[in-house]
Amino acid sequence: MRSLINNIAQLVAVPPGPVGGQAFSNPPIVEKAALVIEDGKIAWFGPAANAPAGKLDEMIDAAGGTVVPGLIDCHTHAVFAGSREGEFVRKLKGASYLEILESGGGIRSTMRSVRAANVEQLVEESLPRVKRMIAAGVTTLEIKSGYGLSPDDELKMLRAIREIAKRVPIEIVPTFLGAHALPPEFDGRPDDYIAAISDDGLLERIANDKLAEFCDVFCERGAFNVEQSRRFLAACKTHGMTPKVHAEQLSASGATKLAVEMDAASADHLEFIDDSTIAALQGSRTIPVLLPGCSFFLHSSPAPARKLIDAGLPVTLATDCNPGSAMIESLPLIMSMGCAILRMTPAECLVACTANAATALRRQDCIGAIAVGHRADLLILDVPNLDRWPYRVGVSAVRTVIKHGRIIQT
Ligand code: NIG
Ligand code: FE
């Protein structure tokens, strides 16, 4: 199967991740471009005038639009039950995220809804959400468990994630977030909960059924400390899962240094990151993932994106889509927030949500870039240049979504 996308006003040729430094701010842009897809992979791209001849099975007219790699949302809690708009309003009136969490709301509120649902109900509530995320331009989506908070309920969530993966035309990457919060039956006994959720039998089941590729922990006051987080991640790692960490979200907790120590794929949030921690990230493979939707939603101070960029780090953005701190499904909207809140340029936001997000999911060799041999996961945008995309806040510019060379939405 050989297809040609022609009539591209701008092709943003994002290189494979991790992309930091000069390349982060200046991905190559080919004007008046074309791109050839062969058997689901990018076979050629360049100025349309130089496009190779040869028989084609399909011609796709970009109609003067912009073509970019498919977006990768590398941090989401998109599978859950229920809704928490009551807390949203409480927060507007002054309650803090931590106050709500400590008064039995927050993550525990969604936990109650998730425990009351079966796999099919979880799928029914979450699938439309995932489909909307795809319509917004996402071609690879990470989804975490973390609202079951018991071995059986966590397994149920991972099964719901797997079921959703079967029903959508994109790749879903599952993460076991067993250590997201302390469930009420373990009040005052966090070490016992960590032991229960790190149980060998449970982790073996997750590994044998390939229910999770990554593991994750909320390392924070009100959740788990560094020592408990280390124990949980180490146990998961023994069973083949790659660590990720919710780090430095509400305080400087040392969680990012733990992520580096454990060779985690990413350290996510980083609102409270300090200089010595930035230095620790510089010598590591751990990708900094920023979630400006949380600052927007919780009216909290954002992560120091420009500082991380100036340090040459391969900064990444994600939605963190979840019912408490960021009920946001659109990654392009997060790119607009990357510009308006974090002062990143549209080009930087795009690299963040493609090549670097692929690296945060350890898939930089096959997705996230416009490179020969990379999977043809592409978006055709209804804008004549990249900058216009996040500039037009909150309206979709995504005309066509291509996954593995196949049009999945137009
Ligand atoms: O990434 N910080 C912890 N977890 C989520 C919030 C989950 C929730 O409030 O339901 C986050 O912000
Ligand atoms: Fe999160």
Side-chain angles (χ1 to χ4, degrees), residues 50-64:
N50 304 345
K55 191 178 132 355
L56 289 172
D57 302 293
E58 186 183 28
M59 278 276 260
I60 303 169
D61 185 2

Side-chain angles (χ1 to χ4, degrees), residues 274-303:
D274 59 23
D275 289 351
S276 81
T277 309
I278 292 177
L281 278 175
Q282 281 174 313
S284 81
R285 289 207 293 168
T286 302
I287 301 293
V289 177
L290 310 185
L291 309 164
C294 289
S295 314
F296 172 82
F297 220 77
L298 302 176
H299 354 105
S300 52
S301 45

Side-chain angles (χ1 to χ4, degrees), residues 75 77 84 97 106-107 110 147 177 180 218 246 249 269 291 294 320 322-325:
H75 179 142
H77 310 250
R84 285 159 46 198
Y97 182 79
I107 295 169
T110 303
Y147 290 116
L177 175 55
H180 193 191
F218 186 17
H246 278 72
Q249 179 182 10
H269 276 291
L291 309 164
C294 289
D320 197 13
N322 77 76
S325 66

Side-chain angles (χ1 to χ4, degrees), residues 57 59 61 76 162 197 216 248 262 300 310 327 335 362 367 370 395:
D57 302 293
M59 278 276 260
D61 185 2
T76 88
R162 161 155 305 171
I197 210 70
D216 197 345
E248 262 60 71
M262 308 228 44
S300 52
D310 290 346
M327 191 51 248
M335 290 172 63
R362 297 261 163 100
I367 57 170
I370 304 279
V395 279

